[in-house]
Amino acid sequence: MYRTIQTGTAAKPLQLHFTFDGEKPPKGARGSAALGVALSVPGFKAELGECAPAGARDMVMGLGKRSDFTVARFRTAAAKLVRTLHRREVSALAVHAPEGLDKRRFDARTLGQAFAEGLAVAAWRVDFFDGTASKRPAALAKLVLASDDTGFAEGLEDGLHIAGGVNHARRLGATPPNICNPEWMARE
């Protein structure tokens, strides 16, 4: 999928907005024009992880029913997003934190962390032993994540660190025993 996922800034990132199943965007809300375009796409129901284009530089992702929303489901939605981003060859993503959530239950930093964890863990794949005969498409170089919400952006950073540890452990576990010996482990 992606060789690296990191936080930072980039020129002209894809703008990612969120919506819940059956809800219309409030007038004047951030991204309301993009949400209106996405909601008019035939078949878009805002189910968990479902994405719809909303113009050249905007995309809307469904989060399912508001009553079913949890941090774990948000992580799952982000994991589903990575394939869509890869197919569209997106290299920069500006994530606008979901609006209208109970801040006591869903603080921005926790949501940012869950989003980054889901995205980065889902983007990992075992391709470091692929030979020249591999028919697998090449991974994209990197994906840069940003958010205009400070707490969400801090959470993105935290989540990428956690996912990096998870993916490192997965890489060690996927390494064949003829390579993954004590000497090799000491060098890692």
Side-chain angles (χ1 to χ4, degrees):
M1 296 288 179
Y2 290 96
R3 292 268 174 234
T4 60
I5 299 177
Q6 64 190 46
T7 57
T9 57
K12 298 183 181 178
L14 179 69
Q15 305 291 315
L16 180 65
H17 308 276
F18 300 97
T19 189
F20 288 96
D21 182 10
E23 294 186 14
K24 301 271 187 228
K27 289 184 178 178
R30 180 181 57 207
S32 61
L35 291 169
V37 170
L39 291 172
S40 69
V41 171
F44 180 70
K45 296 180 179 155
E47 293 173 350
L48 184 70
E50 181 182 10
C51 294
R57 301 299 317 158
D58 289 283
M59 184 165 52
V60 174
M61 177 185 220
L63 296 176
K65 294 188 183 307
R66 184 180 290 271
S67 60
D68 295 338
F69 185 78
T70 64
V71 172
R73 287 178 57 87
F74 192 53
R75 184 179 293 109
T76 300
K80 291 179 178 186
L81 175 66
V82 78
R83 286 191 186 275
T84 301
L85 296 176
H86 186 259
R87 274 194 305 268
R88 291 188 67 180
E89 298 184 358
V90 173
S91 61
L93 184 67
V95 185
H96 300 286
E99 294 181 350
L101 295 173
D102 180 356
K103 299 234 187 269
R104 291 168 292 160
R105 269 186 73 203
F106 304 109
D107 69 283
R109 189 172 189 143
T110 301
L111 290 174
Q113 179 180 326
F115 185 85
E117 287 173 8
L119 203 64
V121 169
W124 183 83
R125 67 180 190 181
V126 181
D127 62 356
F128 35 90
F129 297 112
D130 285 356
T132 56
S134 176
K135 304 233 186 296
R136 190 187 324 227
L140 297 175
K142 71 178 176 179
L143 175 64
V144 177
L145 300 176
S147 178
D148 54 357
D149 182 302
T150 304
F152 196 87
E154 290 170 352
L156 289 174
E157 192 75 35
D158 295 345
L160 290 176
H161 288 297
I162 292 167
V166 169
N167 289 341
H168 182 67
R170 292 168 80 189
R171 184 177 69 82
L172 293 175
T175 303
N178 63 323
I179 295 171
C180 185
N181 55 45
E183 183 180 312
W184 181 84
M185 287 292 289
R187 287 192 310 265
E188 285 295 301

